[in-house]
PDB file of all heavy atoms in Angstrom:
ATOM      1  N   PHE U1389    -128.275 -61.880 121.934  1.00 97.00           N
ATOM      2  CA  PHE U1389    -128.048 -60.502 121.485  1.00 97.00           C
ATOM      3  C   PHE U1389    -128.169 -59.541 122.654  1.00 97.00           C
ATOM      4  O   PHE U1389    -127.289 -58.701 122.869  1.00 97.00           O
ATOM      5  CB  PHE U1389    -129.046 -60.122 120.386  1.00 97.00           C
ATOM      6  CG  PHE U1389    -128.898 -58.680 119.954  1.00 97.00           C
ATOM      7  CD1 PHE U1389    -127.905 -58.324 119.052  1.00 97.00           C
ATOM      8  CD2 PHE U1389    -129.730 -57.697 120.459  1.00 97.00           C
ATOM      9  CE1 PHE U1389    -127.752 -57.003 118.664  1.00 97.00           C
ATOM     10  CE2 PHE U1389    -129.580 -56.375 120.072  1.00 97.00           C
ATOM     11  CZ  PHE U1389    -128.591 -56.017 119.166  1.00 97.00           C
ATOM     12  N   PHE U1390    -129.241 -59.675 123.421  1.00 96.00           N
ATOM     13  CA  PHE U1390    -129.437 -58.785 124.568  1.00 96.00           C
ATOM     14  C   PHE U1390    -128.313 -58.930 125.589  1.00 96.00           C
ATOM     15  O   PHE U1390    -127.851 -57.953 126.171  1.00 96.00           O
ATOM     16  CB  PHE U1390    -130.776 -59.051 125.253  1.00 96.00           C
ATOM     17  CG  PHE U1390    -131.980 -58.768 124.402  1.00 96.00           C
ATOM     18  CD1 PHE U1390    -133.141 -59.487 124.590  1.00 96.00           C
ATOM     19  CD2 PHE U1390    -131.959 -57.814 123.405  1.00 96.00           C
ATOM     20  CE1 PHE U1390    -134.263 -59.240 123.807  1.00 96.00           C
ATOM     21  CE2 PHE U1390    -133.073 -57.555 122.613  1.00 96.00           C
ATOM     22  CZ  PHE U1390    -134.235 -58.272 122.822  1.00 96.00           C
ATOM     23  N   ALA U1391    -127.881 -60.165 125.837  1.00 95.00           N
ATOM     24  CA  ALA U1391    -126.860 -60.428 126.851  1.00 95.00           C
ATOM     25  C   ALA U1391    -125.452 -60.103 126.362  1.00 95.00           C
ATOM     26  O   ALA U1391    -124.596 -59.758 127.169  1.00 95.00           O
ATOM     27  CB  ALA U1391    -126.919 -61.897 127.286  1.00 95.00           C
ATOM     28  N   GLY U1392    -125.222 -60.204 125.061  1.00 95.00           N
ATOM     29  CA  GLY U1392    -123.851 -60.134 124.594  1.00 95.00           C
ATOM     30  C   GLY U1392    -123.453 -58.995 123.698  1.00 95.00           C
ATOM     31  O   GLY U1392    -122.274 -58.625 123.672  1.00 95.00           O
ATOM     32  N   PHE U1393    -124.371 -58.411 122.973  1.00 96.00           N
ATOM     33  CA  PHE U1393    -123.922 -57.462 121.955  1.00 96.00           C
ATOM     34  C   PHE U1393    -123.749 -56.031 122.435  1.00 96.00           C
ATOM     35  O   PHE U1393    -122.656 -55.467 122.281  1.00 96.00           O
ATOM     36  CB  PHE U1393    -124.840 -57.497 120.723  1.00 96.00           C
ATOM     37  CG  PHE U1393    -124.327 -56.623 119.620  1.00 96.00           C
ATOM     38  CD1 PHE U1393    -123.287 -57.057 118.814  1.00 96.00           C
ATOM     39  CD2 PHE U1393    -124.844 -55.357 119.430  1.00 96.00           C
ATOM     40  CE1 PHE U1393    -122.780 -56.239 117.817  1.00 96.00           C
ATOM     41  CE2 PHE U1393    -124.345 -54.532 118.430  1.00 96.00           C
ATOM     42  CZ  PHE U1393    -123.316 -54.978 117.623  1.00 96.00           C
ATOM     43  N   PRO U1394    -124.771 -55.369 122.994  1.00 96.00           N
ATOM     44  CA  PRO U1394    -124.636 -53.923 123.241  1.00 96.00           C
ATOM     45  C   PRO U1394    -123.448 -53.541 124.126  1.00 96.00           C
ATOM     46  O   PRO U1394    -122.657 -52.661 123.767  1.00 96.00           O
ATOM     47  CB  PRO U1394    -125.965 -53.537 123.907  1.00 96.00           C
ATOM     48  CG  PRO U1394    -126.922 -54.590 123.453  1.00 96.00           C
ATOM     49  CD  PRO U1394    -126.109 -55.851 123.343  1.00 96.00           C
ATOM     50  N   GLU U1395    -123.311 -54.191 125.261  1.00 96.00           N
ATOM     51  CA  GLU U1395    -122.215 -53.849 126.178  1.00 96.00           C
ATOM     52  C   GLU U1395    -120.855 -54.142 125.559  1.00 96.00           C
ATOM     53  O   GLU U1395    -119.914 -53.363 125.714  1.00 96.00           O
ATOM     54  CB  GLU U1395    -122.368 -54.630 127.482  1.00 96.00           C
ATOM     55  CG  GLU U1395    -121.258 -54.375 128.475  1.00 96.00           C
ATOM     56  CD  GLU U1395    -121.194 -52.923 128.969  1.00 96.00           C
ATOM     57  OE1 GLU U1395    -122.225 -52.228 128.941  1.00 96.00           O
ATOM     58  OE2 GLU U1395    -120.097 -52.505 129.373  1.00 96.00           O
ATOM     59  N   ASN U1396    -120.747 -55.236 124.838  1.00 96.00           N
ATOM     60  CA  ASN U1396    -119.451 -55.575 124.256  1.00 96.00           C
ATOM     61  C   ASN U1396    -119.125 -54.742 123.026  1.00 96.00           C
ATOM     62  O   ASN U1396    -117.958 -54.501 122.736  1.00 96.00           O
ATOM     63  CB  ASN U1396    -119.372 -57.072 123.987  1.00 96.00           C
ATOM     64  CG  ASN U1396    -119.289 -57.811 125.305  1.00 96.00           C
ATOM     65  OD1 ASN U1396    -118.415 -57.527 126.110  1.00 96.00           O
ATOM     66  ND2 ASN U1396    -120.216 -58.705 125.547  1.00 96.00           N
ATOM     67  N   PHE U1397    -120.127 -54.261 122.336  1.00 96.00           N
ATOM     68  CA  PHE U1397    -119.894 -53.288 121.263  1.00 96.00           C
ATOM     69  C   PHE U1397    -119.314 -52.011 121.872  1.00 96.00           C
ATOM     70  O   PHE U1397    -118.343 -51.446 121.348  1.00 96.00           O
ATOM     71  CB  PHE U1397    -121.198 -53.007 120.513  1.00 96.00           C
ATOM     72  CG  PHE U1397    -121.067 -51.911 119.495  1.00 96.00           C
ATOM     73  CD1 PHE U1397    -120.284 -52.088 118.363  1.00 96.00           C
ATOM     74  CD2 PHE U1397    -121.710 -50.705 119.674  1.00 96.00           C
ATOM     75  CE1 PHE U1397    -120.157 -51.075 117.420  1.00 96.00           C
ATOM     76  CE2 PHE U1397    -121.590 -49.692 118.738  1.00 96.00           C
ATOM     77  CZ  PHE U1397    -120.813 -49.871 117.611  1.00 96.00           C
ATOM     78  N   ALA U1398    -119.886 -51.576 122.983  1.00 97.00           N
ATOM     79  CA  ALA U1398    -119.365 -50.390 123.669  1.00 97.00           C
ATOM     80  C   ALA U1398    -117.939 -50.633 124.168  1.00 97.00           C
ATOM     81  O   ALA U1398    -117.072 -49.755 124.043  1.00 97.00           O
ATOM     82  CB  ALA U1398    -120.278 -50.006 124.834  1.00 97.00           C
ATOM     83  N   GLN U1399    -117.681 -51.819 124.730  1.00 96.00           N
ATOM     84  CA  GLN U1399    -116.333 -52.139 125.204  1.00 96.00           C
ATOM     85  C   GLN U1399    -115.327 -52.125 124.049  1.00 96.00           C
ATOM     86  O   GLN U1399    -114.219 -51.602 124.195  1.00 96.00           O
ATOM     87  CB  GLN U1399    -116.311 -53.506 125.891  1.00 96.00           C
ATOM     88  CG  GLN U1399    -117.011 -53.547 127.213  1.00 96.00           C
ATOM     89  CD  GLN U1399    -116.296 -52.744 128.277  1.00 96.00           C
ATOM     90  OE1 GLN U1399    -115.095 -52.539 128.237  1.00 96.00           O
ATOM     91  NE2 GLN U1399    -117.067 -52.270 129.238  1.00 96.00           N
ATOM     92  N   ALA U1400    -115.713 -52.699 122.918  1.00 95.00           N
ATOM     93  CA  ALA U1400    -114.811 -52.731 121.763  1.00 95.00           C
ATOM     94  C   ALA U1400    -114.549 -51.316 121.239  1.00 95.00           C
ATOM     95  O   ALA U1400    -113.471 -51.031 120.719  1.00 95.00           O
ATOM     96  CB  ALA U1400    -115.391 -53.606 120.663  1.00 95.00           C
ATOM     97  N   THR U1401    -115.535 -50.452 121.405  1.00 96.00           N
ATOM     98  CA  THR U1401    -115.408 -49.084 120.916  1.00 96.00           C
ATOM     99  C   THR U1401    -114.575 -48.210 121.848  1.00 96.00           C
ATOM    100  O   THR U1401    -113.721 -47.453 121.390  1.00 96.00           O
ATOM    101  CB  THR U1401    -116.807 -48.460 120.745  1.00 96.00           C
ATOM    102  OG1 THR U1401    -117.558 -49.265 119.832  1.00 96.00           O
ATOM    103  CG2 THR U1401    -116.717 -47.042 120.205  1.00 96.00           C
ATOM    104  N   TRP U1402    -114.799 -48.318 123.146  1.00 96.00           N
ATOM    105  CA  TRP U1402    -114.224 -47.359 124.096  1.00 96.00           C
ATOM    106  C   TRP U1402    -113.142 -47.906 125.010  1.00 96.00           C
ATOM    107  O   TRP U1402    -112.399 -47.131 125.616  1.00 96.00           O
ATOM    108  CB  TRP U1402    -115.336 -46.763 124.961  1.00 96.00           C
ATOM    109  CG  TRP U1402    -116.272 -45.930 124.152  1.00 96.00           C
ATOM    110  CD1 TRP U1402    -117.508 -46.285 123.706  1.00 96.00           C
ATOM    111  CD2 TRP U1402    -116.043 -44.612 123.663  1.00 96.00           C
ATOM    112  NE1 TRP U1402    -118.065 -45.268 122.969  1.00 96.00           N
ATOM    113  CE2 TRP U1402    -117.173 -44.220 122.929  1.00 96.00           C
ATOM    114  CE3 TRP U1402    -114.983 -43.722 123.761  1.00 96.00           C
ATOM    115  CZ2 TRP U1402    -117.301 -42.987 122.316  1.00 96.00           C
ATOM    116  CZ3 TRP U1402    -115.102 -42.474 123.155  1.00 96.00           C
ATOM    117  CH2 TRP U1402    -116.251 -42.130 122.444  1.00 96.00           C
ATOM    118  N   SER U1403    -113.033 -49.186 125.167  1.00 94.00           N
ATOM    119  CA  SER U1403    -112.073 -49.752 126.113  1.00 94.00           C
ATOM    120  C   SER U1403    -110.687 -49.830 125.490  1.00 94.00           C
ATOM    121  O   SER U1403    -110.537 -50.023 124.275  1.00 94.00           O
ATOM    122  CB  SER U1403    -112.530 -51.152 126.534  1.00 94.00           C
ATOM    123  OG  SER U1403    -111.593 -51.727 127.404  1.00 94.00           O
ATOM    124  N   ALA U1404    -109.676 -49.718 126.332  1.00 94.00           N
ATOM    125  CA  ALA U1404    -108.297 -49.797 125.857  1.00 94.00           C
ATOM    126  C   ALA U1404    -107.811 -51.238 125.694  1.00 94.00           C
ATOM    127  O   ALA U1404    -106.717 -51.460 125.191  1.00 94.00           O
ATOM    128  CB  ALA U1404    -107.375 -49.052 126.830  1.00 94.00           C
ATOM    129  N   VAL U1405    -108.625 -52.223 126.098  1.00 94.00           N
ATOM    130  CA  VAL U1405    -108.196 -53.620 125.972  1.00 94.00           C
ATOM    131  C   VAL U1405    -108.282 -54.078 124.519  1.00 94.00           C
ATOM    132  O   VAL U1405    -108.986 -53.485 123.700  1.00 94.00           O
ATOM    133  CB  VAL U1405    -109.025 -54.569 126.875  1.00 94.00           C
ATOM    134  CG1 VAL U1405    -108.873 -54.197 128.339  1.00 94.00           C
ATOM    135  CG2 VAL U1405    -110.475 -54.611 126.474  1.00 94.00           C
ATOM    136  N   ASP U1406    -107.566 -55.134 124.238  1.00 92.00           N
ATOM    137  CA  ASP U1406    -107.590 -55.766 122.916  1.00 92.00           C
ATOM    138  C   ASP U1406    -109.042 -56.061 122.525  1.00 92.00           C
ATOM    139  O   ASP U1406    -109.817 -56.576 123.325  1.00 92.00           O
ATOM    140  CB  ASP U1406    -106.773 -57.063 123.015  1.00 92.00           C
ATOM    141  CG  ASP U1406    -106.689 -57.852 121.727  1.00 92.00           C
ATOM    142  OD1 ASP U1406    -107.319 -57.481 120.726  1.00 92.00           O
ATOM    143  OD2 ASP U1406    -105.974 -58.871 121.739  1.00 92.00           O
ATOM    144  N   ARG U1407    -109.415 -55.739 121.300  1.00 94.00           N
ATOM    145  CA  ARG U1407    -110.806 -55.971 120.859  1.00 94.00           C
ATOM    146  C   ARG U1407    -111.197 -57.431 120.858  1.00 94.00           C
ATOM    147  O   ARG U1407    -112.372 -57.766 120.819  1.00 94.00           O
ATOM    148  CB  ARG U1407    -111.038 -55.368 119.467  1.00 94.00           C
ATOM    149  CG  ARG U1407    -111.173 -53.867 119.514  1.00 94.00           C
ATOM    150  CD  ARG U1407    -111.595 -53.313 118.198  1.00 94.00           C
ATOM    151  NE  ARG U1407    -110.575 -53.595 117.195  1.00 94.00           N
ATOM    152  CZ  ARG U1407    -110.676 -53.275 115.923  1.00 94.00           C
ATOM    153  NH1 ARG U1407    -111.744 -52.680 115.477  1.00 94.00           N
ATOM    154  NH2 ARG U1407    -109.711 -53.560 115.083  1.00 94.00           N
ATOM    155  N   ALA U1408    -110.236 -58.326 120.918  1.00 94.00           N
ATOM    156  CA  ALA U1408    -110.561 -59.753 120.989  1.00 94.00           C
ATOM    157  C   ALA U1408    -111.281 -60.089 122.296  1.00 94.00           C
ATOM    158  O   ALA U1408    -112.049 -61.050 122.335  1.00 94.00           O
ATOM    159  CB  ALA U1408    -109.309 -60.603 120.837  1.00 94.00           C
ATOM    160  N   LEU U1409    -111.035 -59.335 123.353  1.00 96.00           N
ATOM    161  CA  LEU U1409    -111.739 -59.606 124.613  1.00 96.00           C
ATOM    162  C   LEU U1409    -113.233 -59.337 124.485  1.00 96.00           C
ATOM    163  O   LEU U1409    -114.036 -60.233 124.745  1.00 96.00           O
ATOM    164  CB  LEU U1409    -111.119 -58.804 125.767  1.00 96.00           C
ATOM    165  CG  LEU U1409    -109.831 -59.397 126.322  1.00 96.00           C
ATOM    166  CD1 LEU U1409    -109.142 -58.425 127.266  1.00 96.00           C
ATOM    167  CD2 LEU U1409    -110.111 -60.707 127.027  1.00 96.00           C
ATOM    168  N   PRO U1410    -113.660 -58.131 124.075  1.00 96.00           N
ATOM    169  CA  PRO U1410    -115.104 -57.947 123.914  1.00 96.00           C
ATOM    170  C   PRO U1410    -115.711 -58.872 122.858  1.00 96.00           C
ATOM    171  O   PRO U1410    -116.850 -59.317 123.003  1.00 96.00           O
ATOM    172  CB  PRO U1410    -115.265 -56.483 123.512  1.00 96.00           C
ATOM    173  CG  PRO U1410    -113.960 -55.842 123.707  1.00 96.00           C
ATOM    174  CD  PRO U1410    -112.930 -56.896 123.901  1.00 96.00           C
ATOM    175  N   PHE U1411    -114.957 -59.193 121.828  1.00 96.00           N
ATOM    176  CA  PHE U1411    -115.454 -60.153 120.838  1.00 96.00           C
ATOM    177  C   PHE U1411    -115.679 -61.510 121.498  1.00 96.00           C
ATOM    178  O   PHE U1411    -116.721 -62.145 121.299  1.00 96.00           O
ATOM    179  CB  PHE U1411    -114.475 -60.285 119.672  1.00 96.00           C
ATOM    180  CG  PHE U1411    -114.864 -61.368 118.707  1.00 96.00           C
ATOM    181  CD1 PHE U1411    -115.911 -61.165 117.820  1.00 96.00           C
ATOM    182  CD2 PHE U1411    -114.216 -62.593 118.702  1.00 96.00           C
ATOM    183  CE1 PHE U1411    -116.295 -62.172 116.939  1.00 96.00           C
ATOM    184  CE2 PHE U1411    -114.588 -63.601 117.828  1.00 96.00           C
ATOM    185  CZ  PHE U1411    -115.628 -63.383 116.945  1.00 96.00           C
ATOM    186  N   GLY U1412    -114.711 -61.965 122.282  1.00 96.00           N
ATOM    187  CA  GLY U1412    -114.857 -63.239 122.988  1.00 96.00           C
ATOM    188  C   GLY U1412    -116.021 -63.216 123.950  1.00 96.00           C
ATOM    189  O   GLY U1412    -116.801 -64.170 124.033  1.00 96.00           O
ATOM    190  N   TRP U1413    -116.178 -62.118 124.680  1.00 96.00           N
ATOM    191  CA  TRP U1413    -117.303 -61.998 125.619  1.00 96.00           C
ATOM    192  C   TRP U1413    -118.630 -62.043 124.869  1.00 96.00           C
ATOM    193  O   TRP U1413    -119.592 -62.641 125.317  1.00 96.00           O
ATOM    194  CB  TRP U1413    -117.202 -60.712 126.422  1.00 96.00           C
ATOM    195  CG  TRP U1413    -115.958 -60.565 127.240  1.00 96.00           C
ATOM    196  CD1 TRP U1413    -115.216 -61.570 127.799  1.00 96.00           C
ATOM    197  CD2 TRP U1413    -115.317 -59.345 127.581  1.00 96.00           C
ATOM    198  NE1 TRP U1413    -114.142 -61.040 128.469  1.00 96.00           N
ATOM    199  CE2 TRP U1413    -114.176 -59.673 128.360  1.00 96.00           C
ATOM    200  CE3 TRP U1413    -115.568 -58.002 127.315  1.00 96.00           C
ATOM    201  CZ2 TRP U1413    -113.320 -58.709 128.873  1.00 96.00           C
ATOM    202  CZ3 TRP U1413    -114.712 -57.039 127.826  1.00 96.00           C
ATOM    203  CH2 TRP U1413    -113.606 -57.395 128.600  1.00 96.00           C
ATOM    204  N   MET U1414    -118.665 -61.368 123.716  1.00 97.00           N
ATOM    205  CA  MET U1414    -119.903 -61.338 122.935  1.00 97.00           C
ATOM    206  C   MET U1414    -120.273 -62.732 122.433  1.00 97.00           C
ATOM    207  O   MET U1414    -121.410 -63.166 122.595  1.00 97.00           O
ATOM    208  CB  MET U1414    -119.782 -60.383 121.751  1.00 97.00           C
ATOM    209  CG  MET U1414    -121.054 -60.318 120.916  1.00 97.00           C
ATOM    210  SD  MET U1414    -120.841 -59.524 119.322  1.00 97.00           S
ATOM    211  CE  MET U1414    -119.760 -60.636 118.481  1.00 97.00           C
TER     212      MET U1414
END
């Protein structure tokens, strides 16, 4: 959770990339 969730939640929210990328990273 610490390594994968907060930053990738922010990426999914604010980044222009496909949300599948932050989901995959998470």
Side-chain angles (χ1 to χ4, degrees):
F1389 177 81
F1390 296 150
F1393 185 78
E1395 178 64 25
N1396 290 305
F1397 174 67
Q1399 290 292 334
T1401 302
W1402 294 102
S1403 178
V1405 299
D1406 180 356
R1407 284 188 297 178
L1409 281 169
F1411 174 75
W1413 301 330
M1414 180 194 66

